[in-house]
Amino acid sequence: MDLMSATMQGTTRKRPASTSRMLKALAFLAPAAVMILIFVFYPVLRTVQLGFQNFNLFDQLNVGYNGLQNFRNLINDPNFDRVLKNTFIWVFVSLFFQFTIGFGLALLMKKKFKFIGIYQGLIFIPWALSGFLMGLVWKWIFDESFGVLNDALLKLGLIDSRIPWLSNGNWGMAAVIIANVWYGVTFFVIMILAALQGVPTEMLEAAELDGANRFQTLFQVIIPYIRATLILIVLLRIMWITNFPDLIFGMTQGGPAGRTHIISSWLIEKLTLDADWGAASALGLMTMGILFIFTIFYLMATRLEKESGV
Amino acid sequence: MWNVLGKSGKFTVLGIWLAFTVFPIYWMGLTSIKPKREVNDLYYFPKSNATLDSYRVLFKDYAFGVFLRNSLVVSLLASFIVICLGILGAYALARYEFAGKSQVMLAFLATQMIPGLIALAPLYLLMQKLSLLNSLSGLILCYVGGQVPFSTMMLRGFIQRIPPELDEAALIDGCNRFTALFRVVAPVALPGIAATFIFSFVQCWNELFLAMILIDSEGNKTFPVAMRSFIGGYWIEWGSLSAAVMIGIVPTVVIFGLMSKFMISGLSAGIVKG
């Protein structure tokens, strides 16, 4: 992770670390560190414990270790395969459109134009909004009978009958992904635009002098130059989208009949509706495990690609 | 330079995206000012019978005033504490060298890889032990813990851009490290502090799941939790619901809109969204 190590190296001038300086530094750091230990790292450990326990919120007297039972129950759950498949579709289809649209918009916004500040401010809006509330907004837009989308599509003559957006599993997945693309493009515009502005103009001028056309410039000069940033933001975004049940929670609550659940919205359901905190924790651990393994392969794959010079 | 589409093509594409971005909010706003019996009527522009009745209902028949106040209190206090702790930590990470520093930084960054959802059950049990269930202070504590790592890293970035000579001059003038930080460094880093504060505020303002699990009395509900019970039934009254959504999103839209330039540079410098 080039960017991360870059952030870590950019520290101040080195000085011999005396004990008193170190104590001072620790005193400054202590309050933040204590909060993080209690509210971020301790919960991770507790989740590991809960994941191997029989733990129902309303039956707290009957708590005990049950080995891998929670994991077995999850894997044998008839919903499990579909939830995994939905998560995979949700993450990669959303990511594909967020990335390509975000990249395209960033390229168009690279050269400053009049009112670019206002434009940026406006397309920046989704970032500031609650995923849950926007889920409600999209639920209203996708409403089968009174939703504006079906109405507009009918009036434009693009469909003959109303699409059952939220009462059919496949249309439901399409609907939540459309909303998610709406929500997440901003992130890529901002990050990619910042990266594009770091590409030295001399490199672009040189490419132009060498007779490179626009696509050659893009794929042979610009993308290789911002590659490290792209790899990192895509990875962060994959993790983030996986753990983003808010939109789905607002739009479909995983319905109809669990058809639009992804792993994280299913976790919320286990936590709230079923009050089965052992299962919810096991599911959380599985998510972390899958993301961890994915990250290792992802980093290996992107590194290999670099070495072979593609 | 990079422009296959030509100028008009470029602005058409940008315009389409802008319309797509703004439309859902426009539509919600329009629904919220339609008279009750016209909520399901599909007309696309406001008519002269537009009304604020849907908004009035929220404050008259429901306690949305209380929910908004709770959200405001929680978000403001949590963000304020986050900034205080964050500045101290950021100063240590920006200005001191010490053994184990890179491990500490790594731990801060690693928090960004941990899904917040897995903390829900443990934090409930922790608050249960501390007798802080169903209280705004418990919620504030949890939010502070969740926001501190990212905010500290973001603030560190801003403090690093300030030359260390500035604090050294203050030390010679008789400040100690602590007063130098708050009297000299913090004022210079104020834009960065404001960006971090807003970022943290918006995160807290929008947070649903933790609040939903920790809070169960009507009087302590934050805005998103209230919205969740508001849609609880099978039947949704879209008129007042859209008004409520508008109330929930307008503050963050306004703050982010006004400060967008500022936030964009701050956030892309911080790399990650928490």
Side-chain angles (χ1 to χ4, degrees), chain A residues 10 12 15 47 119 127 151 214, chain B residues 2 14 44 94 118 160 273:
Chain A
T12 42
R15 281 205 216 166
T47 298
Y119 186 80
W127 199 342
D151 183 65
R214 287 173 180 130
Chain B
W2 173 260
L14 290 176
Y44 288 52
I118 68 159
Q160 247 173 2
K273 180 183 176 181

Side-chain angles (χ1 to χ4, degrees), chain A residues 82-124:
Chain A
R82 196 181 49 238
V83 168
L84 274 193
K85 195 180 120 204
N86 280 352
T87 309
F88 190 79
I89 295 171
W90 159 260
V91 171
F92 288 101
V93 177
S94 306
L95 182 81
F96 174 79
F97 286 105
Q98 290 180 358
F99 182 86
T100 36
I101 297 173
F103 205 123
L105 290 173
L107 285 173
L108 292 178
M109 289 164 68
K110 188 170 174 286
K111 197 172 141 196
K112 287 212 163 47
F113 51 86
K114 222 177 180 179
F115 304 123
I116 189 168
I118 298 172
Y119 186 80
Q120 274 188 348
L122 287 171
I123 67 161
F124 193 39

